[in-house]
Amino acid sequence: MAEVFISYSRRDKDFVRRLGDGLVAHNREAWVDWKDIPLTSEWQQEILRNIETADNFIFIISPDSVASIPCKQEIEHAAANNKKMLPLFFRPVPDDSVPETLSRFQRLDFDDPQQFDAKFAALIAALDTDLPWTQAHTRLLTRAKEWERMNSDSSFLLRGKDLREAEQWIAKSSDREPKPTTLQSQYILASRQAATRTQRIIIGAVAVAFLVAVGLAIYAFLQKNVAERQTQLAKTNEVEATKQRNAADVSAKEATLQKDTAVQNEAEAVRQKGIAQDETAKAVLQAKITNARRMATESLYRFGYDTDDLAVSGTLALESLEAYPTADGMKALSQVLRLIPAAPKIIPNAHHGIVTSLAFSRDGRWMASGGDQVILWDVSAQIKQRGLESPQPIPLRAPIRALAFSYDGRWLAAGSDGAVGIWDVQTGKPAVVIPHGYVVRSITFSPDGQYLATTTYGEGTGRGARLFQKASQQWQELTFPPGEGPTVSVQFMKNGALAIADKSGVWITQPGSSDGNKYKYSDAGSCYALSLSTDGSTLAALCGKGIATAKLGDNGYEFTGNLIPVTNHNRGIDEFRISASPSGDFITVDDIIYSVRPGTQNLLLAIGSSCCGSVAFRPDGKVVAAGLNDGSIALWPTAQGNQSVPVPALTEKRGGLSVSPDETLLATVGEGGSLRLFDISELRQIRRLKEASITPGLNGVCFSPDGRLLVVTGQDHLYFVETRTLKTVADYSASGEPVITFSGDGRTLVVLDNHTIRTFDMGSKRQKILIEGRFQEFRLSPNGNYLAARSQSNPRGLHHYIQTQRMWELATGAEVAWEERGREVSDDPAERPPQGGPQWLIKDSLMWPTSVDSGRISPDGIWRIEFDQYSPTLVLEEADSKRPIASFEHESELTDAAFSPRGRWLATSSQDGSVRLWPLQVSDLATQACKLLPRNLTPDDWKTLKMDGLYRKTCPNLP
């Protein structure tokens, strides 16, 4: 019979052999299943019997053993037999993966090979603890199992001294381990009941014999002394009393056993009740998740670009997140909020009826609007209306469908039904009227002011495109092909070329040229409207297949071939107006702003319903003017990221940022060398607290885990700065731009630069370990004991790499393991073997987070971010699936991004110096959403969408 049974995974066999050898050396017999074959039923029963006959059950904890089904069966059998269990922690596993049965036993850690002897001594001591009790438990279990296997044959029951010792043993079990099993209790009770029955039979036989003897005595000694008869009677009574006392003892023991059984049954009932409550809670939670996902799916389905679609889709997404946060809910809400701009500035009732045309002068001072009349607005400071005299002798008839300023801003041209009028902007007086035979659709001045091109609706003589040349104070019409109607548009470009959009596409020519069409583009189908960016770099064309763009190059304007689909609307695309932003990165069509900038999504903003008779970008690109159907003019800000919280003060360009552990402070650095600290505890009152000048070229900053220090990185340098005062308390040289990470306990800082890995003690701010070498990345073990790093070399410039994984103790810097791959025969010989130390550590380290991923995974492990420093767009993804969830956009290229330590915010910065805080938690998302959404669901919406409960407003501040 073995003293120890060892349960383990085959991957841990080497360790188990070492353990078994140690037990043998200490005269401890161990039973170990060394057979590396599938289990048969006979061998399985042999294993289970050896578990029963062993005094102790040792379980080797590793990722493979806790996942092994045979190991789980062995644990369950040992637990069912109340075996003394000794868990040995050999390889790291998550706490929730350790079987619950083992969690109540004190484990012994054997994860450090150098501590094996000390830990083994502790194991021997544990085996010897209360050894007689454990051996008695095993002996009784063995006999009880034998009795059970023989169908409760009474010949296998305990008797005499064995029975009394067993009863004494079970009586002491209340505060001893291991506890008796139910089978052991039943076995002892059955033994006592059998002994009692035998005793009763013997006592009956003795009584009968005694009565016969008394009768004979009475007959033989009839005259015997009465006293003698009384003595015999007393003896009889004493025997009867003893019998009754013994019976009472047996009854008392049976009552105690029944009480223990009742207590166990009660405990089991409580456990079952707990299980039922847990299952109920799980069902309720699952119902919440299902309902949340239903609403998120409905939100994605109902997503659209007008006000009502955005309101319904956004409110559904917000209700989904408040029911239960899911990635689908986050995705649905994000795609709505990113399209809603900030509230516009309104010029109410600017016209009687729809505003059909808008234009800005190139200097941004003047805005012209057309509808029932032409109005000139001075927008340089405050918006002031400037009157224009009506041209004579041909007045312009409403509606005014085309407006254009000359390049120098001196002239304003307006086209109506039957004429084009031109005004002197400074005086407001009409200069000339050019008759047209139909409704004027577009107007454009050449850059030098010598040409004017117009188009009208329709085909035939006098319709389509027309070209005029300035002659003194008049405009003389030139012979010019009208284009293929009925909808033709014209646009002069920066190089003086003229673009014409018509049924055949877009063609570009030079006024007065005899070469005909110098350039023709027809890949987008029929084209209806044109717009040139203020800087002249981009020509945008609205065509049947989408938005086409042409860029100005050495050979003039050439179309890129990349079409942006135009969102479906309720009217023909030939009725839309188009406007290009000053830089040509954004195009407005009707009520949607599109992006043609690389690295961004096409749809950027949806500026709302009841829009738009006309649209135009202000020359600074920060505002889009929209002519509304009710005669008003809306000035919509074009800033991206309205669902975020902006930090008001601009920071330096090309910087880094970090949020404090308590999420109340934001630190930023920039290439100018300034370190700035902001108070973000009150988002409505974000303010700058302090600023310190360190040195130019700063690129990164990070709060220490306790928030008391800031670690600032720059080109070839590392600084420790006190948070409270922004005073530099230590600085070190580095090579290149250092990458930093803190250990889990916050006591150690790890720094990777171009030539070393170093660690610093955060208490003393002093360097602890220096490891020389060119490493691509490093990793820290979850328990903070080990530092792993990867390097690669290209020997002699050959077309292969030697990859090396190395590992050190973080506390001492001692190298404990390494692995080299890729060295070929032609390479220089290695200085040491390709492998050394525990290779399972090397393998495990590949699963640890890398320094490259530092800051890109949210603290709760749900989200990850993807961005590069040449794009203004950051993508939020699910960490596990890498499924895109949301796009967060800046006006310029991103420079840094970081999750706040508690996962409330994602902080981002860009090259224009702006910093934004993007909410990730439901309460903050709700606050931002309720600022942007146009309305709540209506009671009818609530009913149609089958929302839970009675109708309520999702956003109390909205109608």
Side-chain angles (χ1 to χ4, degrees):
M1 214 169 41
E3 294 178 44
V4 178
F5 180 97
I6 301 178
S7 177
Y8 71 107
S9 165
R10 292 289 185 271
R11 293 196 58 191
D12 303 324
K13 183 180 288 186
D14 292 341
F15 170 73
V16 174
R17 287 194 182 279
R18 184 178 181 184
L19 189 68
D21 293 342
L23 291 171
V24 171
H26 283 74
N27 297 318
R28 301 293 195 282
E29 184 179 356
W31 196 94
V32 184
D33 175 16
W34 298 113
K35 296 186 177 182
D36 194 8
I37 58 173
L39 288 176
T40 62
S41 59
E42 291 82 6
W43 185 240
Q44 178 69 29
Q45 291 302 316
E46 177 67 16
I47 291 173
L48 298 182
R49 280 195 295 273
N50 277 280
I51 291 174
E52 295 165 6
T53 59
D55 294 334
N56 301 277
F57 178 89
I58 291 179
F59 183 80
I60 310 301
I61 298 177
S62 70
D64 301 287
S65 65
V66 299
S68 167
I69 293 178
C71 286
K72 289 181 180 178
Q73 292 173 345
E74 292 169 6
I75 292 172
E76 291 169 357
H77 191 68
N81 288 280
N82 287 2
K83 302 304 293 184
K84 179 179 177 181
M85 296 190 184
L86 295 169
L88 303 190
F89 187 83
F90 176 53
R91 285 194 285 137
V93 297
D95 290 341
D96 57 1
S97 299
V98 177
E100 184 179 355
T101 306
L102 297 174
S103 62
R104 65 190 185 91
F105 294 94
Q106 180 67 37
R107 78 182 192 189
L108 294 175
D109 293 333
F110 277 81
D111 57 334
D112 186 350
Q114 297 181 359
Q115 298 293 324
F116 180 85
D117 292 337
K119 296 298 183 180
F120 186 84
L123 172 63
I124 294 298
L127 292 174
D128 291 340
T129 300
D130 214 357
L131 183 59
W133 177 268
T134 304
Q135 291 174 335
H137 183 281
T138 302
R139 185 168 58 255
L140 277 172
L141 179 65
T142 302
R143 295 191 63 174
K145 287 286 186 179
E146 184 178 20
W147 170 68
E148 182 183 45
R149 283 193 289 270
M150 300 306 295
N151 298 320
S152 303
D153 188 338
S154 60
S155 64
F156 289 88
L157 294 173
L158 298 171
R159 292 179 175 80
K161 181 180 178 182
D162 287 345
L163 176 57
R164 290 194 298 273
E165 288 178 351
E167 289 173 335
Q168 292 171 0
W169 180 82
I170 201 169
K172 299 175 182 178
S173 64
S174 60
D175 58 349
R176 304 289 289 273
E177 291 288 344
K179 301 287 186 188
T181 65
T182 301
L183 177 63
Q184 286 173 315
S185 299
Q186 293 172 347
Y187 178 61
I188 295 172
L189 178 59
S191 297
R192 171 49 61 196
Q193 290 174 339
T196 300
R197 287 193 297 271
T198 301
Q199 186 179 35
R200 288 175 177 170
I201 293 171
I202 294 172
I203 290 173
V206 171
V208 171
F210 178 74
L211 291 175
V212 171
V214 170
L216 292 174
I218 292 172
Y219 178 78
F221 303 100
L222 189 58
Q223 300 301 318
K224 203 69 167 154
N225 192 301
V226 175
E228 290 179 356
R229 290 201 303 270
Q230 293 297 330
T231 299
Q232 290 298 331
L233 182 60
K235 291 180 179 180
T236 301
N237 289 339
E238 182 181 359
V239 171
E240 182 63 24
T242 301
K243 182 178 70 174
Q244 294 294 333
R245 184 170 62 253
N246 291 338
D249 290 342
V250 173
S251 297
K253 290 179 180 179
E254 290 179 351
T256 300
L257 180 60
Q258 291 173 359
K259 178 182 178 181
D260 292 342
T261 302
V263 170
Q264 292 175 355
N265 290 340
E266 182 180 4
E268 180 63 19
V270 171
R271 190 179 73 85
Q272 293 297 332
K273 180 180 179 181
I275 292 174
Q277 291 173 339
D278 289 344
E279 292 300 321
T280 300
K282 289 178 182 178
V284 171
L285 177 60
Q286 188 58 47
K288 286 183 178 180
I289 295 173
T290 301
N291 186 44
R293 286 177 174 163
R294 178 190 69 81
M295 290 188 286
T297 301
E298 187 74 22
S299 170
L300 293 168
Y301 172 74
R302 292 180 177 269
F303 175 73
Y305 306 108
D306 63 29
T307 303
D308 276 347
D309 287 340
L310 291 173
V312 172
S313 180
T315 308
L316 273 170
L318 185 53
E319 285 284 346
S320 169
L321 288 173
E322 290 181 340
Y324 191 85
T326 65
D328 289 333
M330 184 78 165
K331 181 175 184 178
L333 184 60
S334 174
Q335 77 170 5
V336 171
L337 297 187
R338 66 178 293 272
L339 288 180
I340 302 178
K345 185 175 183 177
I346 300 293
I347 305 175
N349 305 315
H351 291 265
H352 298 292
I354 186 171
V355 181
T356 52
S357 55
L358 287 167
F360 282 96
S361 62
R362 291 174 62 83
D363 61 6
R365 177 182 177 182
W366 301 104
M367 178 180 73
S369 63
D372 57 329
Q373 60 179 317
V374 179
I375 300 176
L376 190 62
W377 306 86
D378 187 343
V379 292
S380 58
Q382 297 180 348
I383 299 176
K384 297 180 180 179
Q385 184 173 341
R386 172 81 176 275
L388 296 175
E389 295 181 13
S390 177
Q392 296 297 331
I394 304 175
L396 299 186
R397 298 194 301 269
I400 308 299
R401 294 190 176 273
L403 291 167
F405 284 94
S406 63
Y407 267 64
D408 59 10
R410 180 180 176 184
W411 307 105
L412 170 64
S416 69
D417 184 358
V420 170
I422 301 177
W423 284 265
D424 186 314
V425 174
Q426 295 300 320
T427 65
K429 295 181 180 297
V432 68
V433 176
I434 304 173
H436 280 62
Y438 200 53
V439 177
V440 177
R441 189 171 185 272
S442 66
I443 305 173
T444 180
F445 284 97
S446 65
D448 60 6
Q450 296 303 306
Y451 292 95
L452 176 73
T454 66
T455 63
T456 57
Y457 287 96
E459 297 179 277
T461 304
R463 299 191 180 184
R466 300 174 66 183
L467 181 64
F468 302 86
Q469 186 175 20
K470 193 171 186 180
S472 184
Q473 300 299 318
Q474 299 299 317
W475 292 88
Q476 180 180 352
E477 185 169 7
L478 304 177
T479 301
F480 190 75
E484 299 181 39
T487 52
V488 183
S489 182
V490 288
Q491 177 65 57
F492 270 106
M493 294 183 292
K494 185 177 181 179
N495 62 356
L498 178 62
I500 301 94
D502 64 7
K503 189 175 182 180
S504 66
V506 177
W507 45 283
I508 299 175
T509 187
Q510 288 288 341
S513 170
S514 60
D515 296 340
N517 299 343
K518 285 191 173 183
Y519 180 78
K520 186 69 174 283
Y521 174 76
S522 58
D523 292 349
S526 300
C527 297
Y528 311 104
L530 297 168
S531 180
L532 184 69
S533 62
T534 306
D535 64 5
S537 65
T538 304
L539 174 69
L542 178 62
C543 305
K545 294 182 181 180
I547 302 170
T549 56
K551 295 293 184 179
L552 178 60
D554 295 339
N555 298 320
Y557 288 88
E558 295 184 1
F559 283 89
T560 63
N562 297 321
L563 295 175
I564 300 175
V566 176
T567 302
N568 184 32
H569 289 71
N570 295 324
R571 63 184 194 274
I573 193 172
D574 59 328
E575 300 179 41
F576 295 164
R577 299 303 179 97
I578 186 171
S579 178
S581 69
S583 64
D585 288 337
F586 307 106
I587 310 294
T588 299
V589 175
D590 199 44
D591 59 351
I592 303 292
I593 299 178
Y594 299 85
S595 172
V596 294
R597 183 168 58 177
T600 60
Q601 295 189 18
N602 289 338
L603 285 172
L604 285 187
L605 292 176
I607 57 181
S609 59
S610 71
C611 177
C612 300
S614 53
V615 290
F617 268 102
R618 198 170 71 187
D620 62 4
K622 295 181 179 180
V623 170
V624 168
L628 306 185
N629 295 333
D630 64 1
S632 301
I633 300 174
L635 302 175
W636 297 88
T638 60
Q640 299 298 293
N642 294 308
Q643 69 268 42
S644 67
V645 179
V647 176
L650 291 179
T651 63
E652 295 177 352
K653 296 180 180 180
R654 289 188 175 273
L657 50 78
S658 180
V659 179
S660 64
D662 61 2
E663 298 184 330
T664 63
L665 298 175
L666 171 70
T668 66
V669 296
E671 61 183 7
S674 292
L675 168 62
R676 295 185 174 100
L677 199 63
F678 296 88
D679 181 354
I680 60 172
S681 58
E682 290 292 336
L683 296 180
R684 291 175 295 182
Q685 298 178 347
I686 295 177
R687 58 194 179 93
R688 187 189 298 182
L689 293 178
K690 297 181 183 70
E691 180 174 347
S693 179
I694 297 180
T695 188
L698 300 181
N699 53 48
V701 60
C702 186
F703 278 94
S704 64
D706 62 7
R708 296 179 181 179
L709 285 176
L710 288 161
V711 179
V712 179
T713 61
Q715 186 67 34
D716 300 329
H717 231 79
L718 180 74
Y719 302 89
F720 292 83
V721 180
E722 190 178 63
T723 303
R724 184 175 58 85
T725 62
L726 294 192
K727 178 182 178 182
T728 299
V729 294
D731 65 275
Y732 295 89
S733 62
S735 174
E737 297 182 357
V739 177
I740 62 174
T741 296
F742 287 96
S743 61
D745 60 10
R747 297 176 181 177
T748 302
L749 174 71
V750 183
V751 180
L752 168 68
D753 63 21
N754 289 348
H755 298 105
T756 65
I757 294 177
R758 289 179 288 174
T759 68
F760 293 84
D761 178 76
M762 290 305 296
S764 64
K765 292 84 175 173
R766 293 181 178 178
Q767 180 177 305
K768 292 169 49 181
I769 298 172
L770 172 64
I771 302 170
E772 295 182 344
R774 297 182 67 88
F775 299 96
Q776 275 65 48
E777 64 184 19
F778 66 85
R779 304 167 187 257
L780 291 177
S781 63
N783 61 9
N785 292 336
Y786 298 105
L787 165 65
R790 177 179 66 85
S791 65
Q792 66 180 24
S793 60
N794 181 218
R796 296 182 293 170
L798 299 178
H799 298 292
H800 72 276
Y801 288 92
I802 298 175
Q803 301 277 353
T804 305
Q805 298 281 349
R806 300 175 64 188
M807 186 171 300
W808 302 265
E809 286 185 345
L810 187 60
T812 65
E815 188 170 10
V816 295
W818 69 88
E819 180 188 44
E820 180 186 271
R821 293 184 178 183
R823 187 177 294 275
E824 298 180 355
V825 176
S826 59
D827 296 330
D828 294 334
E831 297 179 355
R832 60 180 179 179
Q835 291 183 345
Q839 291 303 294
W840 64 266
L841 270 177
I842 296 292
K843 183 177 180 180
D844 284 356
S845 71
L846 300 179
M847 305 302 294
W848 303 342
T850 71
S851 55
V852 176
D853 292 332
S854 179
R856 296 206 171 190
I857 305 294
S858 62
D860 55 12
I862 296 176
W863 310 114
R864 73 187 305 273
I865 52 176
E866 275 296 327
F867 77 97
D868 63 56
Q869 295 185 344
Y870 299 98
S871 169
T873 301
L874 177 146
V875 178
L876 183 73
E877 302 175 341
E878 278 187 303
D880 293 337
S881 67
K882 295 187 179 181
R883 178 168 65 111
I885 298 300
S887 294
F888 299 149
E889 287 156 340
H890 273 257
E891 301 300 314
S892 63
E893 288 79 4
L894 292 162
T895 57
D896 198 10
F899 289 100
S900 63
R902 298 179 184 177
R904 182 181 181 186
W905 304 103
L906 172 62
T908 58
S909 62
S910 58
Q911 293 226 24
D912 60 6
S914 64
V915 175
R916 296 182 180 274
L917 299 174
W918 304 85
L920 298 176
Q921 295 182 355
V922 174
S923 59
D924 296 317
L925 283 167
T927 298
Q928 294 301 103
C930 290
K931 290 179 182 178
L932 295 173
L933 290 173
R935 67 170 176 85
N936 285 295
L937 297 176
T938 66
D940 288 341
D941 291 335
W942 194 272
K943 183 177 180 181
T944 301
L945 296 170
K946 298 180 181 179
M947 305 296 286
D948 283 347
L950 299 175
Y951 173 77
R952 60 180 174 80
K953 287 185 174 182
T954 306
C955 296
N957 61 305
L958 296 179

